[in-house]
Amino acid sequence: MGAVHVVGISDCKVSGDRADTVVTYALGSCVGIALYDPHLRAGGLLHVMLPDSRFRGISREFNPYMYADTGLYSLLQQLLALGCRKERLVAKLAGGANMLRSSALLDIGKRNADASRDLLGREGILLAGESLGGTVGRSMSLELQAGIVTVRLLGRGEEVL
């Protein structure tokens, strides 16, 4: 068995070792974006907190993985450096829950999910599965050997995308 790469919040990990697994936890309103190249059996996982970086303001440090817009392009760049081809990539999404339940206006989960879908569409990357929305947190793992993405819903079991 290969290594398990744990992706934190506002983080990203990639691997070209088909024995590896990439996993992220604590997907509430955050969205996990898994990209996988079935030919190379390489892939990566991004854990985004916010839909876009336009309104990030002035900050001392900029973390591209915090945002869907900059994070997706960073993930894509890393995968291309491993030899992945954009036209072969398959995407799967998880998370995007409405953790505040009382406010549709502040539904950052939906905004994260919509931004992620839109970016994938603009890049021509196939969205092959998703587990989005609702009001429960999730974890997500990508097994590189077969490209299997498993999503565990808090208190509700798991599903394979």
Side-chain angles (χ1 to χ4, degrees):
M1 180 168 208
V4 175
H5 303 276
V6 178
V7 178
I9 297 170
S10 298
D11 190 15
C12 177
K13 298 280 190 316
V14 300
S15 177
D17 184 340
R18 61 182 61 184
D20 287 357
T21 299
V22 189
V23 63
T24 193
Y25 304 100
L27 291 168
S29 60
C30 296
V31 169
I33 302 173
L35 294 182
Y36 180 70
D37 182 328
H39 179 74
L40 287 185
R41 295 185 186 173
L45 187 55
L46 169 67
H47 185 135
V48 300
M49 278 180 59
L50 298 168
D52 65 68
S53 59
R54 285 180 297 174
F55 306 109
R56 70 179 176 91
I58 298 171
S59 61
R60 294 174 88 72
E61 296 182 30
F62 173 65
N63 177 355
Y65 304 132
M66 183 177 286
Y67 308 96
D69 62 346
T70 52
L72 178 66
Y73 293 109
S74 293
L75 171 58
L76 189 55
Q77 191 173 47
Q78 290 178 60
L79 291 172
L80 295 176
L82 285 178
C84 295
R85 304 266 310 266
K86 189 167 122 177
E87 61 271 13
R88 291 191 306 239
L89 290 175
V90 175
K92 296 185 180 174
L93 304 176
N98 184 352
M99 301 307 285
L100 299 177
R101 295 182 194 157
S102 62
S103 174
L105 179 64
L106 297 176
D107 191 350
I108 191 69
K110 180 177 179 349
R111 292 174 45 212
N112 282 334
D114 291 346
S116 299
R117 282 190 200 107
D118 290 347
L119 288 163
L120 292 168
R122 271 190 253 152
E123 289 304 312
I125 297 172
L126 173 67
L127 177 56
E130 61 182 49
S131 175
L132 296 166
T135 57
V136 298
R138 296 167 171 86
S139 64
M140 175 185 202
S141 65
L142 167 61
E143 297 173 31
L144 296 179
Q145 178 62 38
I148 295 171
V149 171
T150 303
V151 178
R152 287 172 191 79
L153 289 90
L154 188 62
R156 298 197 181 160
E158 66 181 38
E159 59 186 346
V160 176
L161 299 182

